[in-house]
Amino acid sequence: MTHAPGRHFLQIPGPTNTPLPVLAAIARPTIDHRGPDFARLGRTVLAEIRPVFGTTNPVVIYPASGTGAWEAALANTLSPGDRVLMFETGWFATLWSRLAKRLGIEAEFLKGDWRSGVDAAAIEARLAEDAGHAIKAVCIVHNETSTGVTSNVAAVRRALDQARHPALLLVDAISSLGSIDYRHDAWGVDVTIAGSQKGLMLPPGLSFNAVSDKALAASRSARLPKSYWNWEEMLAANATGTFPYTPSTNLLQGLAVALEMLRAEGLPAVFARHDRAAAATRACVAHWGFEIQCRNPEDYSSALTAVRLPEGHSADALRAEILERCNMSLGNGLGPLADRVFRIGHLGDFHDLMVTGTLAGVELGLRIRGIPHRPGGVEAALQVLAGNAGPAALAAE
Ligand SMILES: *Cc1c(COP(=O)(O)O)cnc(C)c1O
């Protein structure tokens, strides 16, 4: 066994650092998933998860990674040969479109540049052309984790409304839920897909579908084969706090605690904390003199920042150096961004000192690797953090 001293910094954009109270809840003995204690736990998490999605409708919880919940959203609402409209924000949008094709869906992929959010005008124009309503769903990724770009879901909803198109709206909120403002009901989303291991501060292994009435109605006539993912059996069992098959008992024990933590802090404060970490990170990266992958300031992600290294420098070699020296993991570049960018995750259980610790680790790596940069980026981050420290601290200056 090798031992790296000090606490590991898991600064990839998911899985994120799991808080100790959540780990402690997961470590409690496994309980009978058909007993009364579990029914109480089941009812609690199924009710308390709804406000995190901004919905009063049911949320289905699967023992699965986020990819499973992607498949569930499609399998429950669509029929073989159905057409869906997707937008190429980056790697995760690409993976979802491949998955759709494998299920026998005609996935139309609107071209993107991997540096911007969903183009709502392009969606509206395509829907307006579709007079026969062949397109059954619009599928978008809210926070594209490969690029650090957040899309405007409300604008996509308006695009559907303005084109008077009845397609369902399916949104991947896997890396935004619990980190960036999200409103399933208010934005008229039909299925929201989420996972446990990002803003919800849990290990991987749970994923979610928040389901609108319209999506539920569509599922009754949808003809893609579905068994494990079937909402109907799940919702029938959930009515009594139980599940049609063995749920991830211990992860659900952790989820109950994570939801309590989010409620205690308050979602607006959670989002503001992520905004602050992101602003400090961007100030630091700008000071170093590097570009970030996201082009438009209105699309900046509060969950992660993807940093472009100057031409001729390997992002993977930098990440390896930082892991070795600082015991810190950073996210790699995905697909065409491999070795070109590295990604700093600043989501989940994260505070100001972890922001500055993370940035100090990156700056140390830059120095060791001899990558040209303007030193002192961490100081720029501190200025942002201090400026947002609240009225009491500002008054004391
Ligand atoms: C992490 C992630 C996924 C994939 O989730 P898995 O749990 O790895 O299956 C999908 N979409 C986005 C936006 C993600 O961040």
Side-chain angles (χ1 to χ4, degrees):
M1 169 188 179
T2 57
H3 171 66
R7 199 168 176 136
H8 182 66
F9 270 52
L10 184 64
Q11 297 322 139
I12 58 176
T16 63
N17 297 286
T18 311
L20 289 175
V22 174
L23 286 174
I26 292 168
R28 286 204 304 265
T30 301
I31 59 174
D32 172 10
H33 64 288
R34 306 209 190 280
D37 284 350
F38 184 85
R40 263 191 297 278
L41 172 66
R43 273 198 295 270
T44 302
V45 294
L46 288 163
E48 298 297 332
I49 191 76
R50 295 182 188 197
V52 180
F53 283 84
T55 187
T56 54
N57 260 44
V59 176
V60 168
I61 308 179
Y62 295 108
S65 86
T67 302
W70 264 347
E71 180 161 337
L74 301 172
N76 276 283
T77 54
L78 299 167
S79 297
D82 273 356
R83 178 171 290 270
V84 302
L85 187 60
M86 295 181 145
F87 195 94
E88 187 195 8
T89 43
W91 183 244
F92 288 100
T94 304
L95 291 182
W96 196 14
S97 75
R98 282 186 200 161
L99 186 155
K101 285 182 188 138
R102 289 190 198 125
L103 292 181
I105 292 164
E106 293 288 327
E108 191 176 322
F109 209 26
L110 291 181
K111 188 116 198 69
D113 65 359
W114 289 53
R115 301 197 70 173
S116 329
V118 174
D119 180 350
I123 299 258
E124 186 179 335
R126 181 63 190 92
L127 291 176
E129 272 170 31
D130 181 36
H133 297 162
I135 295 168
K136 299 303 176 200
V138 173
C139 307
I140 59 165
V141 175
H142 181 214
N143 185 66
E144 177 54 74
T145 321
S146 63
T147 60
V149 174
T150 306
S151 287
N152 186 336
V153 180
V156 175
R157 173 75 262 168
R158 279 195 298 277
L160 278 138
D161 294 345
Q162 251 144 38
R164 296 180 196 281
H165 200 290
L168 296 166
L169 177 57
L170 275 44
V171 180
D172 169 345
I174 295 178
S175 63
S176 54
L177 196 84
S179 301
I180 299 169
D181 190 15
Y182 189 83
R183 307 173 184 209
H184 177 90
D185 289 354
W187 294 341
V189 179
D190 292 298
V191 187
T192 298
I193 296 117
S196 55
Q197 75 271 31
K198 311 213 172 158
L200 292 180
M201 309 179 286
L202 290 159
L206 293 179
S207 56
F208 308 86
N209 277 176
V211 180
S212 74
D213 292 338
K214 186 173 160 185
L216 208 51
S219 74
R220 300 206 175 93
S221 54
R223 285 177 290 101
L224 275 176
K226 53 179 180 284
S227 172
Y228 184 79
W229 305 118
N230 196 334
W231 290 338
E232 200 174 345
E233 284 177 19
M234 191 62 116
L235 293 174
N238 285 175
T240 56
T242 59
F243 287 74
Y245 40 76
T246 315
S248 300
T249 323
N250 290 55
L251 286 178
L252 293 173
Q253 291 171 181
L255 177 61
V257 173
L259 292 173
E260 258 176 49
M261 292 171 83
L262 287 174
R263 202 182 37 180
E265 186 177 354
L267 285 177
V270 170
F271 301 147
R273 176 165 56 78
H274 283 79
D275 292 344
R276 199 168 66 235
T281 301
R282 287 192 301 267
C284 177
V285 172
H287 184 97
W288 287 332
F290 300 153
E291 227 187 313
I292 71 170
Q293 184 64 17
C294 180
R295 237 192 258 283
N296 314 314
E298 65 270 25
D299 300 338
Y300 285 156
S301 170
S302 287
L304 78 141
T305 302
V307 182
R308 291 168 69 89
L309 273 192
E311 207 70 56
H313 293 279
S314 160
D316 288 345
L318 174 65
R319 288 188 314 107
E321 185 79 50
I322 291 169
L323 178 60
E324 167 95 17
R325 287 286 193 124
C326 307
N327 195 8
M328 174 164 77
S329 298
L330 296 165
N332 63 328
L334 294 167
L337 302 180
D339 209 28
R340 283 285 295 127
V341 310
F342 66 91
R343 295 172 299 144
I344 301 172
H346 35 70
L347 74 163
D349 186 39
F350 203 67
H351 67 12
D352 288 356
L353 212 48
M354 293 164 81
V355 178
T356 52
T358 299
L359 297 173
V362 175
E363 191 158 331
L364 185 58
L366 293 170
R367 285 188 199 191
I368 294 166
R369 295 281 311 163
I371 299 174
H373 66 285
R374 182 150 66 108
V378 178
E379 173 60 27
L382 287 174
Q383 304 234 6
V384 171
L385 295 171
N388 284 277
L394 289 177
E397 269 180 10

